[in-house]
């Protein structure tokens, strides 16, 4: 990657600067408040308002609006929590799974909503808050509570059914995975997906803009149309990835809890 | 150009290093959301789920109860019907027996009556016959004596003779009669 100078046509041109990490560091809107901060607060307001209002008068035979809310709730409850944690233990974790799913989903989708147009989780601080400070303590806490201190360590690091020699390899790997890597990969996965997705849209949009307004030559203006079309296409791809990442984040969180609670592998 | 890039890289913040303010804000915002959903939304949805389950289970239970009741009623009606049938059969049998008995009684009575009437008739006939025989005997005696006295011209007034003659005649008549019979 480097500065690209198109000098075709001989006119003096400003160099094209591809978007980079700096484009994610938006200047504060007022005081120390930045756009992602506002978006996070907005997402909490939207989700809380939606679920609180839609659950105000629930009927046994649902209306259309209630059906939609119930569908999302049902997806988090049965599709993620019950599936991953098991029908015996999943009930206390429904709020956590529902919150994680809806929080990540809404903040991701912000990335393609005009004006908002910024996936909050592309700032790694937010996924780290969720994964390292919420999911990680929760699943180890419930694991220690369920199995006792030594019991949980053994449960987590010594999966039964392997030959003795394998444990010299297996136990450190399991330990590293459960206590170090899981929360980091959980945070980095959604962060990287959102970061890269947003960057790709930026590249095509800024590139198209540059081709249209700055670059000379006969060919660059029609090509800018292609660039914008790709930007639109990538927005659709992003929409898919945003939903999938929200789902994956919630599923993995529930999965870690389920694994910590499981009686035995 | 190289220095430019280096400069840009130095200016751009490392995206993998988190801002503490964002971690704190993210955590607090998420915990608020979690609290709201935990406290209000999820219990409402769970209550709805329970109500719905209870309603469906209640409906099934009610249907099962109704079915059981219907079956019981059917069994009861069938039993009652069977009772009624057997009752009717018993009544019919009783009636037939009664009729038989009455018929027998009537027949016996009629036979008795007939026998009585015949016996009475018999007795009356016997009495009449005896009476007629007696009357005839007296008549015949008188007539014969009279006839004989006319023919013979002699008086048969004499008691002893008359009695002997008549008796002899009657005896002959009786034997003749007996042979003729």
């Amino acid at each position: 990657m480097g500065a690209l100078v198109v000098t075709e046509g001989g006119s003096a041109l400003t160099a094209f600067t591809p978007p980079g990490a700096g484009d994610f560091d938006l200047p504060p809107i007022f005081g120390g408040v930045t756009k992602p901060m506002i978006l996070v607060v907005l997402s909490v307001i939207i989700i809380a308002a939606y679920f609180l209002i839609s659950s105000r008068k629930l009927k046994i035979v649902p209306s259309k609006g209630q059906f939609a809310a119930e569908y999302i709730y049902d997806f988090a409850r049965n599709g993620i929590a019950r599936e991953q944690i098991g029908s015996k233990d999943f009930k206390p974790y429904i709020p956590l799974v529902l919150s994680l799913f809806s929080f990540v989903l809404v903040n991701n989708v912000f990335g393609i909503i005009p004006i908002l147009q910024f996936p909050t989780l592309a700032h790694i601080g937010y996924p780290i808050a969720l994964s390292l400070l919420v999911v990680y303590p929760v699943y180890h806490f419930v694991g220690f509570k369920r199995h006792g201190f030594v019991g949980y360590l053994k449960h987590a690091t010594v999966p039964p059914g392997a030959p003795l020699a394998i444990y010299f390899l297996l136990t450190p790997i399991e330990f590293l995975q459960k206590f170090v890597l899981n929360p980091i990969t959980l945070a980095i996965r959604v962060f990287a997906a959102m970061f890269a997705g947003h960057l790709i849209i930026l590249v095509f949009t800024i590139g198209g803009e540059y081709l249209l307004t700055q670059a000379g030559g006969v060919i660059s203006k029609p090509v800018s149309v292609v660039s914008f079309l790709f930007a639109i296409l990538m927005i659709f791809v992003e929409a898919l990835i945003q939903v999938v990442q929200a789902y994956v984040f919630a599923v993995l969180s529930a999965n870690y809890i389920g694994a910590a609670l499981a009686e035995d592998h | 150009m190289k220095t430019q890039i280096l400069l840009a890289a130095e200016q751009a913040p490392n995206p993998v290093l988190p801002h503490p303010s964002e971690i704190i804000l993210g955590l607090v915002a998420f915990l608020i959301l979690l609290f709201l959903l935990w406290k209000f939304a999820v219990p409402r949805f769970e209550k709805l789920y329970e109500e719905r389950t209870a309603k469906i289970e209640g409906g099934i239970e009610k249907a099962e109860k109704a079915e059981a009741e219907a079956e019981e009623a059917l069994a009861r009606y069938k039993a009652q019907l069977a009772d009624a049938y057997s009752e009717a059969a018993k009544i019919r049998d009783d009636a037939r027996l009664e009729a038989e008995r009455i018929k027998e009684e009537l027949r016996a009575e009629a036979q008795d009556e007939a026998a009585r009437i015949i016996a009475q008739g018999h007795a009356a006939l016997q009495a009449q016959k005896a009476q007629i025989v007696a009357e005839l005997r007296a008549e015949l005696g008188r007539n014969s004596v009279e006839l004989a006295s006319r023919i013979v011209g002699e008086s048969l007034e004499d008691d002893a003779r008359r009695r002997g003659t008549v008796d002899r005649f009657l005896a002959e008549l009786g034997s003749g009669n007996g042979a003729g019979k």
Side-chain angles (χ1 to χ4, degrees):
Chain A
M1 257 206 325
L4 185 72
V5 183
V6 181
T7 48
E8 221 173 305
S11 54
L13 296 168
T14 47
F16 174 65
T17 322
D23 291 291
F24 286 81
D25 200 36
L26 304 168
I29 293 170
F30 56 87
V33 178
T34 56
K35 189 174 180 181
M37 290 180 176
I38 291 174
L39 290 182
V40 163
V41 174
L42 183 64
S43 73
V44 169
I45 293 171
I46 291 173
I47 300 164
Y50 178 69
F51 278 118
L52 291 186
I53 291 171
S54 65
S55 68
R56 222 177 32 193
K57 279 188 230 141
L58 292 175
K59 296 196 182 62
I60 288 181
V61 179
S63 63
K64 254 186 198 167
Q66 188 191 328
F67 183 78
E70 255 186 59
Y71 188 85
I72 300 170
Y73 181 80
D74 206 61
F75 183 71
R77 180 192 195 265
N78 298 338
I80 300 175
R82 194 171 65 186
E83 196 91 331
Q84 297 296 331
I85 301 175
S87 53
K88 197 159 62 78
D89 297 317
F90 78 105
K91 284 220 164 129
Y93 306 101
I94 296 170
L96 180 65
V97 172
L98 178 66
S99 303
L100 284 173
F101 177 65
S102 54
F103 185 82
V104 176
L105 179 68
V106 170
N107 278 298
N108 283 356
V109 171
F110 279 162
I112 56 167
I113 292 175
I115 301 168
L116 304 179
Q117 235 151 10
F118 190 91
T120 321
L121 299 188
H123 274 207
I124 196 163
Y126 300 108
I128 280 181
L130 293 184
S131 124
L132 219 59
L133 299 182
V134 178
V135 176
Y136 182 72
V138 164
Y139 79 80
H140 284 308
F141 177 74
V142 298
F144 281 125
K145 212 173 132 194
R146 167 71 53 99
H147 301 285
F149 186 77
V150 179
Y152 178 63
L153 283 181
K154 186 172 174 290
H155 175 81
T157 58
V158 188
L164 184 66
I166 297 292
Y167 282 116
F168 290 105
L169 202 58
L170 193 57
T171 301
I173 291 175
E174 286 284 325
F175 183 84
L176 192 68
Q177 198 183 345
K178 294 247 165 71
F179 289 90
V180 182
L181 292 180
N182 274 351
I184 295 174
T185 54
L186 185 65
I188 288 179
R189 186 178 294 109
V190 64
F191 155 73
M194 289 307 104
F195 188 87
H198 194 59
L199 199 59
I200 287 173
I201 294 175
L202 277 181
V203 165
F204 281 111
T205 318
I206 292 174
E209 189 191 4
Y210 178 82
L211 284 171
L212 191 65
T213 59
Q214 305 284 319
V218 193
I219 205 162
S220 63
K221 282 185 179 22
V223 167
S224 76
V225 175
V226 178
S227 183
F228 282 126
L229 283 178
F230 257 94
I232 292 168
L233 184 71
M234 290 322 291
I235 284 175
F236 283 107
V237 174
E238 259 318 276
L240 176 70
I241 290 173
Q242 285 160 354
V243 176
V244 168
Q245 283 299 331
Y247 175 67
V248 166
F249 194 92
V251 164
L252 286 175
S253 305
N255 181 268
Y256 296 155
I257 295 171
L261 285 176
E263 283 311 318
D264 248 315
H265 289 270
Chain B
M1 206 148 66
K2 207 171 181 185
T3 50
Q4 248 184 359
I5 295 162
L6 279 175
L7 255 177
E10 270 169 43
Q11 281 166 0
N14 191 339
V16 183
L17 289 181
H19 300 288
S21 61
E22 289 185 338
I23 295 180
I24 293 164
L25 177 69
L27 182 65
V28 171
F30 180 76
L31 289 182
I32 290 171
L33 176 68
L34 180 61
F35 172 78
L36 289 175
L37 294 188
W38 196 313
K39 204 78 195 155
F40 302 107
V42 170
R44 290 178 193 163
F45 278 109
E46 286 303 308
K47 194 163 148 270
L48 171 77
Y49 273 50
E50 266 166 31
E51 273 171 18
R52 198 170 283 165
T53 312
K55 181 135 194 175
I56 291 167
E57 275 175 359
I60 291 169
E61 203 173 289
K62 219 154 77 183
E64 272 172 359
K65 221 168 79 185
E67 202 187 318
E69 265 172 21
E71 249 164 40
E72 196 189 315
L74 184 68
R76 214 168 45 228
Y77 288 147
K78 270 188 181 161
Q80 278 178 357
L81 203 62
D83 277 359
Y85 271 132
S86 65
E87 184 85 353
K90 203 168 80 88
I91 289 169
R92 236 182 1 251
D93 282 355
D94 281 358
R96 200 160 37 225
L97 284 177
E98 185 81 351
E100 251 356 59
R101 199 174 56 75
I102 290 168
K103 222 151 73 183
E104 279 304 310
E105 267 180 20
L106 284 178
R107 185 181 288 144
E109 234 168 72
Q111 270 171 354
D112 282 359
E113 187 71 17
R116 204 173 52 76
I117 289 168
I118 289 169
Q120 224 171 23
H122 228 69
L125 214 61
Q126 224 54 334
Q128 248 170 350
K129 189 181 157 190
Q131 197 188 352
I132 289 167
V133 167
E135 268 175 24
L136 274 179
R137 186 173 284 180
E139 187 88 353
L140 196 64
R142 203 168 55 241
N143 284 351
S144 336
V145 171
E146 202 176 332
L147 206 57
S149 65
R150 268 193 212 154
I151 295 165
V152 180
E154 80 179 79
S155 178
L156 289 176
E157 299 295 304
D158 190 284
D159 254 3
R161 272 191 322 202
R162 189 173 62 183
R163 184 170 305 271
T165 311
V166 173
D167 280 346
R168 203 174 52 236
F169 173 75
L170 280 178
E172 276 168 22
L173 193 75
S175 65
N177 244 0
K181 241 184 184 176

